[in-house]
Amino acid sequence: DAKTTQPNSMESNEEEPVHLPCNHSTISGTDYIHWYRQLPSQGPEYVIHGLTSNVNNRMASLAIAEDRKSSTLILHRATLRDAAVYYCIRLDSWGKLQFGAGTQVVVTP
Amino acid sequence: DTGVSQDPRHKITKRGQNVTFRCDPISEHNRLYWYRQTLGQGPEFLTYFQNEAQLEKSRLLSDRFSAERPKGSFSTLEIQRTEQGDSAMYLCASSLGATDREGYTFGSGTRLTVV
């Protein structure tokens, strides 16, 4: 039970921002929100994670709703190399990632 | 450190044979995880270790599967009497702790084909 809900797929044009939504309405106060992505024929790659505050790193930004029931991963300028499956995961204190089906991001030149 | 290494990258075996995969985590990472992924699906949790102790096994993991992590370093995953349904990508990951500030690092996986 992944306990998060994501759209199956999203399309974007190259060099435009991509906003990937995730719903985690049953999240508990101590669960982290993690995002990973998986390129074809590779293992998942860590993107970003957060607890309550918005987070930025070199790959992306994570915007977390005030009630923590949803979050949005933001890729500021999509490139063709960003085409991948993106997974939003709740991580509890036991620290075991449980993946859902993720969102397939398609980037069009 | 070059990250998480998995060996072999590909394995083709006949049904009924035993296979063993190896995972070398990032050296300072205490936790090690095994996942299985079939085509079009997200990775499915199998088991994980905190140092040498195996803390959890998925209920989906049959008795034909066994994993070890001697001395809390590398880990092996063995599948006995393989079946065609075992064909999948087997992924290993490691982390410093339960909620690692740097996230979990995955290997490139071992693709198993049972014929």
Side-chain angles (χ1 to χ4, degrees):
Chain A
D1 181 7
K3 302 176 183 176
T4 62
T5 304
Q6 298 178 252
N8 290 334
S9 64
M10 292 191 73
E11 286 193 31
S12 174
N13 294 321
E14 199 174 9
E15 297 191 4
E16 288 187 356
V18 183
H19 291 241
L20 301 177
C22 179
N23 191 307
H24 30 79
S25 58
T26 60
I27 195 169
S28 73
T30 56
D31 288 356
Y32 282 81
I33 300 155
H34 275 236
W35 283 82
Y36 285 74
R37 72 179 185 180
Q38 188 172 24
L39 280 66
S41 302
Q42 295 187 24
E45 174 189 27
Y46 167 79
V47 176
I48 200 167
H49 79 280
L51 185 61
T52 55
S53 304
N54 294 345
V55 184
N56 299 295
N57 66 20
R58 62 174 180 82
M59 291 182 70
S61 295
L62 177 60
I64 302 172
E66 196 169 333
D67 62 6
R68 295 201 345 114
K69 293 184 177 181
S70 66
S71 61
T72 302
L73 179 72
I74 303 165
L75 307 177
H76 294 286
R77 290 183 64 193
T79 70
L80 297 178
R81 289 173 294 184
D82 291 323
V85 179
Y86 287 76
Y87 298 99
C88 169
I89 304 167
R90 283 170 47 179
L91 188 67
D92 62 23
S93 56
W94 296 103
K96 182 181 69 193
L97 293 173
Q98 299 212 65
F99 292 80
T103 297
Q104 175 71 61
V105 170
V106 177
V107 181
T108 305
Chain B
D1 199 332
T2 56
V4 176
S5 299
Q6 293 190 245
D7 184 68
R9 290 294 309 275
H10 303 274
K11 178 71 176 179
I12 300 174
T13 190
K14 292 183 178 179
R15 188 174 51 188
Q17 298 294 304
N18 298 343
V19 293
T20 300
F21 309 140
R22 177 181 171 120
C23 171
D24 286 273
I26 292 175
S27 56
E28 62 266 30
H29 282 185
N30 299 320
R31 285 202 168 198
L32 186 147
Y33 308 80
W34 284 99
Y35 288 81
R36 176 174 63 191
Q37 186 173 27
T38 53
L39 200 61
Q41 304 296 315
E44 175 185 50
F45 170 78
L46 293 180
T47 187
Y48 82 95
F49 294 83
Q50 173 87 22
N51 299 313
E52 67 274 11
Q54 188 173 17
L55 296 187
E56 185 173 346
K57 290 175 61 173
S58 167
R59 285 172 291 179
L60 301 174
L61 205 63
S62 79
D63 292 342
R64 298 183 297 103
F65 287 71
S66 63
E68 293 183 342
R69 192 183 182 197
K71 302 178 183 178
S73 56
F74 72 92
S75 176
T76 58
L77 178 68
E78 181 183 17
I79 309 174
Q80 296 182 326
R81 305 181 302 282
T82 53
E83 302 172 356
Q84 287 188 322
D86 297 331
S87 295
M89 175 74 83
Y90 290 83
L91 294 161
C92 175
S94 69
S95 70
L96 268 173
T99 52
D100 189 351
R101 187 178 298 273
E102 296 179 354
Y104 292 46
T105 304
F106 282 80
S108 297
T110 294
R111 180 165 296 284
L112 173 66
T113 303
V114 182
V115 298

